[in-house]
Amino acid sequence: MEVRQDTAYEARLADIIAAVRDTLRRRWLVLTIVTALIVVAGVVVVYQMTPLYSSQARIRIDPSRDPLSKAADARTELSAEAIETEVTAMYSLDLARQVVRKLNLMNDPEFAGALLNSDNAKVLNSAQRETTVANAVLSKLGVYREGQTYVLGVSYVSRDPVKAAAIANMFAELYISGRVGDKTGTATQQAQWFERRLAEMGEEVRKADAAVAQYRAQSGLLQSTASGVGTIADQQVAPLAGSLAAADSEAAAARANYSSARAQVARGGLESVSEVLNSGVIADLKRQRTEVMRNKGEIEARYGSRHPESIKIREQLESIDVAIAAEARRVLGSLQAASASADARAASLRKTLNELDGKRALDARNTVAIEGLEREAAGKRAQYDSLSQQALASVQASRNSMSQAAIIDRAEPARAPSSPNKPLLIALALVAGLAAGASTITVQELMSGGLRTSDEVESQLGIPLLAAVPRETAPNPADLLIERPTSYFAEAYRIARAALLGNKEGLSQIIAITSSVPSEGKTTTALAFARTLAIAGSKTLLIECDVRRAAMRRLVKQEPTRGGIVEVLQGSATLADTMTQGDVPNLDHLLAQTPYYTSENLFGSGTMEQLLKEVRGRYQHIVLDLPPLIGLADSRALAVMADMTLMVVKWEDTPGKVAAQALSMLQGDGANPVGVILTMVDSSADVVGGKYYSRKYSDYYQAA
């Protein structure tokens, strides 16, 4: 299945190629003429064009060369939009006016036409005239970016190469100088503004710092809590809290000692108090008492209780007891005093800590306020620092004329014109000529309704194609049957004879040959077909029935007679007087001597039927050269009298609808149209075997 589809596709493609080749073979002359005319016209126009010269200057826009850029900005890049903006800026009308003034282009003849062509040129003032010339200058300016680089090309086209280079260079120079001047002037204005603004900002920063310092002094704050140092109260709270804790502990211990001492006194007297017992003074007094007690016993034992020594020692013992009691009371009082003192100290520390807590709450509120003042002061300082840096850059820019743009190539006068590109334009003219020629022959093909192939003949007319007769340039192509009987022209009529007669020799005695319209080769075909029949050995009579033209007499070599077909039908002459011998054996002629115009029914009065009946017995074939069918009545009446009718159709000329209409007339009248002969066919057309004629059949036919 796929093979059959591919084969069908190749066949269709081959048909298209063959059709194109066939069209080119037939219409090569039209194609050549149209192409040649357009190429010649193009060459003439090209060589009349004024040569134009183009010169180009190149500008580099390099942001890395900006003297104001910092090291961190060394990779500064320009966006595509920024570069396109620079390109557009080059087309500035103001820049063009400067070029006009600098180069005095107002008086240049090349731009004088712009003033002459402008409306109301005589009433333009100087500024308007300058603007007109500037627009004319801009119309020939070209600015473009080279690839993805930072290089701009500035080109100008002029009839003078020196002028083109000068204008391109001037545009580049004025662009650079204008850019530097604008930048410097802007930077100077910015520097002055920055200077005024810096003075104002400095004063604001000083006021903000003073407000922070004053508030801090008034509130007693060292600095913001955000710094981690805190206020004076914050610094005092921690050690004071530690002291208070220690004081509370000491007071509790003192109270405990005093309470314990009182409890011990209540249980056993002062001597049972541990502090009293631990007292060194009391311990010494008790040692003394012990010693006195030991002496007392000895003395009383020796002297008795009334002895002065005994009394003395008892007094000494009493004084020691008094001292011990006094010391014990003193120790107890000391414990009481220590407890009271510890309580008082703890109370004092607690009071102080409470006062600091209140101070801290106030400091917290003051801290919030001072932090706001500090933030405000810090913001003003940051603005001041940023503005200071910008001011420094502006001052440097106002004192520095270095630009980011520089001319890297100046325009030079061109040695050869840039336009017109004559070889290219001529090549384009050739292409246009070929296209126009192809379009012309395509239109001819589309507009041509003529029949070309046997398929078209059979599909549109419904009768077969008997033969296709090639076009010949000879004055009388029918003579080729005599002069070159083996040519393809002669062979075509033999093919028609074989296709027409075949096995119908007895049924095709009277053969009418007609056409739809004039100039289809009908008369030549009738003569050539009659000669073909005669050369084949058939006794043949050629009767010219197209009496209004009477063209046959110019195609045959005939001696003058006493009349022709008209006279025979009118009865003024006989067949013997009017019939002549043809140029080939077995052929006789009955022709019209002169064109005959009449309104009478020359062929419909019965005389023509009588004439044909008379000659039937003398000739094997009678060929009738009829008038065209459309527009004339004689042909339709005569076709009915014939045994068969041949339609002559001029190849690729006679519209199929016209031929079909003529055929319908014949069939409607009862005639017997049996086939078509295509005449004046191009020898390269397929219908005459054009694919093979010049090669495979070269040995069969005599070259024409």
Side-chain angles (χ1 to χ4, degrees), residues 448-618:
S448 174
L451 301 174
R452 296 191 184 94
T453 66
S454 59
D455 291 340
E456 292 178 357
V457 171
E458 294 178 3
S459 63
Q460 295 189 39
L461 302 183
I463 56 177
L465 174 65
L466 301 180
V469 181
R471 181 187 295 114
E472 295 292 342
T473 58
N476 183 12
D479 289 343
L480 293 175
L481 278 85
I482 303 173
E483 298 171 359
R484 291 195 295 274
T486 58
S487 65
Y488 186 70
F489 181 87
E491 187 68 25
Y493 285 101
R494 288 193 286 272
I495 293 173
R497 174 186 173 279
L500 178 65
L501 300 180
N503 298 324
K504 303 176 183 179
E505 286 284 350
L507 302 177
S508 58
Q509 185 177 10
I510 301 177
I511 303 171
I513 297 179
T514 185
S515 63
S516 305
V517 293
S519 301
E520 294 193 73
K522 167 186 62 63
T523 300
T524 299
T525 298
L527 177 58
F529 190 72
R531 285 177 176 176
T532 300
L533 293 173
I535 292 173
S538 297
K539 185 65 175 176
T540 305
L541 174 63
L542 173 63
I543 301 177
E544 183 179 14
C545 301
D546 191 0
V547 297
R548 299 192 186 190
R549 288 186 62 196
M552 190 70 75
R553 72 187 188 281
R554 296 191 298 269
L555 303 179
V556 299
K557 298 175 182 178
Q558 177 179 301
E559 296 294 332
T561 61
R562 288 184 293 178
I565 181 65
V566 175
E567 288 75 16
V568 171
L569 294 176
Q570 290 177 342
S572 60
T574 64
L575 286 174
D577 296 333
T578 57
M579 289 179 61
T580 61
Q581 187 175 355
D583 297 327
V584 297
N586 300 320
L587 178 63
D588 291 334
H589 298 157
L590 180 57
L591 309 180
Q593 295 299 306
T594 58
Y596 180 73
Y597 300 94
T598 182
S599 60
E600 63 176 303
N601 189 4
L602 183 65
F603 299 103
S605 60
T607 55
M608 186 63 185
E609 289 91 336
Q610 188 65 32
L611 174 62
L612 292 176
K613 183 178 180 181
E614 182 179 350
V615 296
R616 272 182 182 272
R618 302 181 188 181

Side-chain angles (χ1 to χ4, degrees), residues 194 198 381-391:
F194 280 132
L198 277 175
R381 281 194 298 273
Q383 293 178 2
Y384 182 84
D385 293 340
S386 176
L387 198 64
S388 178
Q389 293 177 358
Q390 296 178 26

Side-chain angles (χ1 to χ4, degrees), residues 54-72:
S54 177
S55 294
Q56 174 183 299
R58 300 171 72 225
I59 299 175
R60 178 180 61 195
I61 302 177
D62 190 356
S64 65
R65 300 185 62 196
D66 188 354
L68 305 182
S69 297
K70 298 181 180 179

Side-chain angles (χ1 to χ4, degrees), residues 617-633:
R618 302 181 188 181
Y619 297 94
Q620 291 176 285
H621 296 292
I622 301 168
V623 178
L624 305 180
D625 177 21
L626 304 186
L629 284 165
I630 296 178
L632 298 172

Side-chain angles (χ1 to χ4, degrees), residues 183 185-195 390-391 393-395 397:
K183 184 176 179 180
T186 302
T188 300
Q189 296 177 0
Q190 288 180 346
Q192 295 173 356
W193 181 85
F194 280 132
E195 185 177 355
Q390 296 178 26
S394 296
V395 171

Side-chain angles (χ1 to χ4, degrees), residues 617-661:
R618 302 181 188 181
Y619 297 94
Q620 291 176 285
H621 296 292
I622 301 168
V623 178
L624 305 180
D625 177 21
L626 304 186
L629 284 165
I630 296 178
L632 298 172
D634 292 343
S635 183
R636 300 177 64 177
L638 290 168
V640 177
M641 302 177 190
D643 296 328
M644 57 181 60
T645 303
L646 298 183
M647 283 280 296
V648 174
V649 177
K650 185 177 180 180
W651 178 79
E652 205 188 24
D653 185 83
T654 304
K657 292 183 178 180
V658 174
Q661 180 183 356

